[in-house]
Amino acid sequence: MTEGLRSIEEDWSTALAIVAHPDDLEYGAAAAIARWTAQGKRVAYCLATSGEAGIDGTPPEKAGPLREQEERDSAAIVGVDTVEFLGYPDGVVEYGLPLRRDIARAIRRHRPDVVITGNFREYWPGGFLNQADHIAVGRAVVDAVRDAGNRWVFRELLDEDLQPWDDVRMVLVGGSPEARHGVDVSDHFEAGIQSLRAHAAYLAGLGDGPMSDPTEFLTSIASDAGTRLGCRYAVEFEQLAM
């Protein structure tokens, strides 16, 4: 029997979504973000890379700016107007202190109640292997949330007048095989689909694979999650209490 999902509490005001690539949030989480911005919550995006290695037929120097703009367009569809890029090289992001410091800096600047990130487990639901950038960035996000609250870690951030921020209530991990919580996105599911369609160049580069049709791919995932939550469409998250 499939285990049900518990609803995520929504008595918070601000969130910072930190992922590896343009399009990472759009494969599910964006519909939940559309719900939250419609509630009046403020959500900002921070991406480690510009996704410049993500389109085989387009050189990185052209793909990077193109994908940055697609992400900005995509974010606007779900009510997000702040999109930042950390400039790490796509495909070869390494977990380590520089990445943790840069993410902690972003958390101290934005001072969110909630942090959203992508799956950092070795596998996706269904057993498919995860990608190295996702693992590195997701792990660094969880650690950077704690770093952001400790004034004696990355002390150089104090010199930038970035005071510690230890009020992140939870980290929500999208696409995790350990997801036990969910968000009803029945009224905002279409916005999530359109946010993924905004990545037109990236989707075209995928060819005719199973992830190239946003409607079919997202509907399958959201319907299954909705069954577990008791609604039409839902987005699943692993919830880490901080």
Side-chain angles (χ1 to χ4, degrees):
M1 181 177 178
T2 303
E3 181 183 356
L5 297 172
R6 297 185 290 276
S7 294
I8 292 171
E9 294 183 359
E10 296 181 318
D11 57 339
W12 47 272
S13 300
T14 62
L16 178 62
I18 311 166
V19 293
H21 314 109
D23 83 87
D24 283 355
L25 288 165
E26 285 66 53
Y27 278 100
I33 291 168
R35 171 188 170 102
W36 291 327
T37 59
Q39 293 173 346
K41 302 183 192 307
R42 179 174 58 82
V43 182
Y45 286 3
C46 178
L47 287 83
T49 81
S50 298
E52 68 275 9
I55 305 175
D56 183 66
T58 304
E61 59 271 18
K62 294 183 179 180
L66 173 61
R67 297 201 67 197
E68 285 187 3
Q69 187 57 52
E70 288 189 338
E71 183 60 36
R72 294 187 187 98
D73 294 342
S74 174
I77 291 170
V78 295
V80 174
D81 58 15
T82 299
V83 182
E84 302 171 351
F85 299 89
L86 296 180
Y88 281 80
D90 184 18
V92 290
V93 180
E94 294 183 292
Y95 174 89
L97 296 179
L99 182 60
R100 281 172 50 189
R101 181 182 58 245
D102 287 345
I103 295 173
R105 177 184 288 112
I107 293 169
R108 289 193 185 189
R109 281 194 296 105
H110 289 280
R111 307 178 86 75
D113 304 315
V114 171
V115 169
I116 303 163
T117 193
N119 179 28
F120 56 83
R121 306 293 181 181
E122 292 186 6
Y123 295 90
W124 294 103
F128 299 102
L129 282 172
N130 201 354
Q131 195 258 6
D133 283 1
H134 300 148
I135 296 171
V137 172
R139 285 184 55 211
V141 167
V142 175
D143 290 336
V145 168
R146 291 173 290 201
D147 297 333
N150 188 333
R151 73 175 57 252
W152 306 123
V153 176
F154 304 130
R155 286 190 246 180
E156 60 270 35
L157 297 182
L158 296 175
D159 296 332
E160 301 174 24
D161 199 26
L162 293 172
Q163 296 301 312
W165 178 252
D166 62 355
D167 286 344
V168 175
R169 290 173 46 182
M170 57 184 162
V171 175
L172 298 177
V173 185
S176 171
E178 301 297 325
R180 301 290 184 268
H181 289 76
V183 179
D184 182 349
V185 297
S186 302
D187 294 336
H188 303 279
F189 182 59
E190 182 60 30
I193 291 175
Q194 293 307 316
S195 74
L196 181 53
R197 288 196 182 281
H199 294 273
Y202 175 72
L203 292 173
L206 294 178
D208 296 325
M211 297 176 67
S212 62
D213 184 339
T215 299
E216 181 178 350
F217 184 82
L218 292 178
T219 299
S220 175
I221 295 173
S223 296
D224 289 345
T227 298
R228 296 179 66 195
L229 188 60
C231 59
R232 186 177 183 189
Y233 296 125
V235 173
E236 298 179 342
F237 290 97
E238 178 181 357
Q239 179 177 301
L240 304 177
M242 306 304 291

